PDB file of all heavy atoms in Angstrom:
ATOM      1  N   ALA A 252       0.714   5.514  14.110  1.00 97.00           N
ATOM      2  CA  ALA A 252       0.323   4.285  13.242  1.00 97.00           C
ATOM      3  C   ALA A 252      -1.035   3.865  13.714  1.00 97.00           C
ATOM      4  O   ALA A 252      -1.204   3.641  15.029  1.00 97.00           O
ATOM      5  CB  ALA A 252       1.336   3.131  13.443  1.00 97.00           C
ATOM      6  N   ALA A 253      -2.008   3.803  12.883  1.00 97.00           N
ATOM      7  CA  ALA A 253      -3.368   3.411  13.275  1.00 97.00           C
ATOM      8  C   ALA A 253      -4.031   2.426  12.289  1.00 97.00           C
ATOM      9  O   ALA A 253      -3.716   2.557  11.032  1.00 97.00           O
ATOM     10  CB  ALA A 253      -4.280   4.644  13.326  1.00 97.00           C
ATOM     11  N   ASP A 254      -4.683   1.445  12.782  1.00 97.00           N
ATOM     12  CA  ASP A 254      -5.326   0.475  11.897  1.00 97.00           C
ATOM     13  C   ASP A 254      -6.805   0.426  12.407  1.00 97.00           C
ATOM     14  O   ASP A 254      -7.167   0.233  13.500  1.00 97.00           O
ATOM     15  CB  ASP A 254      -4.765  -0.960  12.169  1.00 97.00           C
ATOM     16  CG  ASP A 254      -5.369  -2.024  11.243  1.00 97.00           C
ATOM     17  OD1 ASP A 254      -5.384  -1.752  10.034  1.00 97.00           O
ATOM     18  OD2 ASP A 254      -5.821  -2.989  11.734  1.00 97.00           O
ATOM     19  N   LEU A 255      -7.652   0.511  11.257  1.00 96.00           N
ATOM     20  CA  LEU A 255      -9.111   0.540  11.412  1.00 96.00           C
ATOM     21  C   LEU A 255      -9.657  -0.824  11.053  1.00 96.00           C
ATOM     22  O   LEU A 255      -9.105  -1.514  10.104  1.00 96.00           O
ATOM     23  CB  LEU A 255      -9.714   1.615  10.564  1.00 96.00           C
ATOM     24  CG  LEU A 255      -9.139   2.985  10.743  1.00 96.00           C
ATOM     25  CD1 LEU A 255      -9.908   4.016   9.813  1.00 96.00           C
ATOM     26  CD2 LEU A 255      -9.177   3.537  12.263  1.00 96.00           C
ATOM     27  N   LYS A 256     -10.788  -1.127  11.589  1.00 92.00           N
ATOM     28  CA  LYS A 256     -11.470  -2.403  11.210  1.00 92.00           C
ATOM     29  C   LYS A 256     -12.560  -2.145  10.290  1.00 92.00           C
ATOM     30  O   LYS A 256     -13.644  -1.611  10.655  1.00 92.00           O
ATOM     31  CB  LYS A 256     -11.947  -3.148  12.493  1.00 92.00           C
ATOM     32  CG  LYS A 256     -12.580  -4.485  12.257  1.00 92.00           C
ATOM     33  CD  LYS A 256     -12.883  -5.311  13.442  1.00 92.00           C
ATOM     34  CE  LYS A 256     -13.474  -6.670  13.214  1.00 92.00           C
ATOM     35  NZ  LYS A 256     -12.455  -7.497  12.523  1.00 92.00           N
ATOM     36  N   GLY A 257     -12.390  -2.638   9.037  1.00 84.00           N
ATOM     37  CA  GLY A 257     -13.427  -2.588   7.935  1.00 84.00           C
ATOM     38  C   GLY A 257     -14.235  -1.284   7.946  1.00 84.00           C
ATOM     39  O   GLY A 257     -13.781  -0.257   8.205  1.00 84.00           O
ATOM     40  N   THR A 258     -15.490  -1.420   7.514  1.00 80.00           N
ATOM     41  CA  THR A 258     -16.354  -0.319   7.350  1.00 80.00           C
ATOM     42  C   THR A 258     -16.858   0.163   8.683  1.00 80.00           C
ATOM     43  O   THR A 258     -17.189   1.318   8.767  1.00 80.00           O
ATOM     44  CB  THR A 258     -17.575  -0.739   6.513  1.00 80.00           C
ATOM     45  OG1 THR A 258     -18.259  -1.790   7.119  1.00 80.00           O
ATOM     46  CG2 THR A 258     -17.150  -1.054   5.049  1.00 80.00           C
ATOM     47  N   VAL A 259     -16.703  -0.595   9.718  1.00 77.00           N
ATOM     48  CA  VAL A 259     -17.082  -0.099  11.056  1.00 77.00           C
ATOM     49  C   VAL A 259     -16.232   1.049  11.475  1.00 77.00           C
ATOM     50  O   VAL A 259     -16.733   1.992  12.153  1.00 77.00           O
ATOM     51  CB  VAL A 259     -17.025  -1.216  12.072  1.00 77.00           C
ATOM     52  CG1 VAL A 259     -17.388  -0.708  13.491  1.00 77.00           C
ATOM     53  CG2 VAL A 259     -17.958  -2.430  11.657  1.00 77.00           C
ATOM     54  N   GLY A 260     -14.924   0.943  11.166  1.00 80.00           N
ATOM     55  CA  GLY A 260     -14.046   1.988  11.502  1.00 80.00           C
ATOM     56  C   GLY A 260     -13.463   2.051  12.905  1.00 80.00           C
ATOM     57  O   GLY A 260     -12.859   2.973  13.400  1.00 80.00           O
ATOM     58  N   SER A 261     -13.789   0.959  13.738  1.00 91.00           N
ATOM     59  CA  SER A 261     -13.286   0.878  15.072  1.00 91.00           C
ATOM     60  C   SER A 261     -11.735   0.729  15.025  1.00 91.00           C
ATOM     61  O   SER A 261     -11.251   0.123  14.049  1.00 91.00           O
ATOM     62  CB  SER A 261     -13.957  -0.316  15.837  1.00 91.00           C
ATOM     63  OG  SER A 261     -13.646  -1.506  15.145  1.00 91.00           O
ATOM     64  N   ILE A 262     -11.076   1.238  16.043  1.00 94.00           N
ATOM     65  CA  ILE A 262      -9.620   1.233  15.954  1.00 94.00           C
ATOM     66  C   ILE A 262      -9.074  -0.057  16.563  1.00 94.00           C
ATOM     67  O   ILE A 262      -9.298  -0.392  17.656  1.00 94.00           O
ATOM     68  CB  ILE A 262      -9.060   2.415  16.790  1.00 94.00           C
ATOM     69  CG1 ILE A 262      -9.530   3.750  16.078  1.00 94.00           C
ATOM     70  CG2 ILE A 262      -7.552   2.402  16.856  1.00 94.00           C
ATOM     71  CD1 ILE A 262      -9.132   4.994  16.894  1.00 94.00           C
ATOM     72  N   GLU A 263      -8.374  -0.862  15.705  1.00 94.00           N
ATOM     73  CA  GLU A 263      -7.756  -2.041  16.111  1.00 94.00           C
ATOM     74  C   GLU A 263      -6.464  -1.750  17.017  1.00 94.00           C
ATOM     75  O   GLU A 263      -6.306  -2.426  17.985  1.00 94.00           O
ATOM     76  CB  GLU A 263      -7.275  -2.826  14.919  1.00 94.00           C
ATOM     77  CG  GLU A 263      -8.459  -3.529  14.148  1.00 94.00           C
ATOM     78  CD  GLU A 263      -9.005  -4.629  14.908  1.00 94.00           C
ATOM     79  OE1 GLU A 263      -8.378  -5.732  14.904  1.00 94.00           O
ATOM     80  OE2 GLU A 263     -10.133  -4.530  15.578  1.00 94.00           O
TER      81      GLU A 263
END
Side-chain angles (χ1 to χ4, degrees):
D254 182 55
L255 308 180
K256 186 171 180 62
T258 56
V259 178
S261 58
I262 295 177
E263 286 288 281

